[in-house]
Amino acid sequence: MNISRRSFLKLSGGAIVVSTLGINLDPAKAYAQSLRIKNAKETYTICPYCSVGCGMITHTMEGKVINTEGYPDHPINEGTLCSKGASLYQLINNPLRLKKPRYRAAGATEWKEVEWDWALDEIAKKIKATRDKTFKMTSKSKVKEKQPDGTEKEVEKEFVVNRTDSISHLGSACLDNEECYMLQKLLRSWGVVYIEHQARV
């Protein structure tokens, strides 16, 4: 029997349609009724990983995250997620996830768990000490100045700068506009000039 490619596709497609007509969908419907997100609280959030800002839906039950997925109505990702965003559920419910800060003293070989209040106080002390030690009120720089005879001459001038060159800050895609605004105000008040964001890294 001589069968062309076109007739083979027609026959195989017809066989698939005929074979699926007798399938009972009751088990699938019963499974859909018992999904783990049934009766869960639905919250919309943003993926914490990169600077794209993909929208996500988080399902919680009794204070615990039970499911995360892409938000279909979000204008950026339209429900799609990369491999990191899709695995966010594992980050939240990972038994190895650190929930308290750890500290390793100078010269020590082991990390020890510390309280948040102590860690934040230590960070604040180190920032203050670094700023006090490295703060510059003025800085000298060479500039070109026009002379009375019309020529230009390079001269060294002192400028008020009020800055520290020893502290830098790296922003995160998890921050919203208001948090970024407050961070800028804080960092500029310290005299920090090296302010960067992970979107450019």
Side-chain angles (χ1 to χ4, degrees):
M1 182 176 169
N2 191 9
I3 299 177
S4 68
R5 186 171 57 183
R6 184 179 295 267
S7 57
F8 171 76
L9 290 172
K10 284 181 182 177
L11 284 169
S12 58
I16 291 169
V17 170
V18 169
S19 64
T20 55
L21 290 176
I23 291 177
N24 183 7
L25 295 176
D26 288 340
K29 288 178 183 174
Y31 172 74
Q33 295 292 325
S34 63
L35 287 175
R36 65 179 175 174
I37 61 172
K38 186 180 178 186
N39 301 324
K41 182 184 176 188
E42 194 173 89
T43 308
Y44 302 103
T45 186
I46 303 295
C47 179
Y49 281 116
C50 76
S51 58
V52 174
C54 294
M56 299 186 77
I57 301 173
T58 305
H59 295 96
T60 54
M61 194 174 285
E62 296 173 5
K64 186 179 177 184
V65 175
I66 59 169
N67 183 57
T68 56
E69 59 190 59
Y71 179 29
D73 293 333
H74 198 272
I76 292 174
N77 59 317
E78 298 178 340
T80 61
L81 291 172
C82 71
S83 55
K84 286 174 75 176
S87 66
L88 186 65
Y89 172 81
Q90 296 170 11
L91 172 73
I92 299 164
N93 293 303
N94 189 340
L96 301 176
R97 181 184 178 196
L98 297 178
K99 295 182 179 173
K100 281 191 173 182
R102 291 196 176 184
Y103 173 73
R104 189 179 71 181
T109 57
E110 297 294 320
W111 291 88
K112 66 175 186 176
E113 198 173 83
V114 294
E115 293 300 320
W116 277 106
D117 288 341
W118 183 87
L120 292 172
D121 285 345
E122 285 299 304
I123 292 167
K125 285 177 197 171
K126 289 184 187 298
I127 289 173
K128 174 89 167 70
T130 303
R131 183 182 182 272
D132 290 348
K133 185 178 177 182
T134 62
F135 193 78
K136 292 180 187 175
M137 293 181 73
T138 60
S139 180
K140 289 182 179 177
S141 184
K142 289 183 179 178
V143 294
K144 288 183 179 178
E145 265 192 359
K146 245 184 182 177
Q147 302 301 309
D149 60 357
T151 60
E152 282 189 348
K153 185 181 178 185
E154 199 172 66
V155 293
E156 192 173 61
K157 280 195 164 185
E158 195 170 54
F159 296 95
V160 176
V161 291
N162 290 331
R163 71 176 185 226
T164 174
D165 295 333
S166 299
I167 302 173
S168 63
H169 183 270
L170 179 65
S172 161
C174 302
L175 302 172
D176 58 29
N177 285 342
E178 289 74 19
E179 289 167 325
C180 286
Y181 174 80
M182 293 305 294
L183 268 173
Q184 281 286 340
K185 296 281 274 187
L186 176 68
L187 297 168
R188 299 293 182 192
S189 73
W190 293 348
V192 175
V193 291
Y194 302 122
I195 302 172
E196 190 52 275
H197 191 274
Q198 76 172 79
R200 284 165 36 90
V201 176

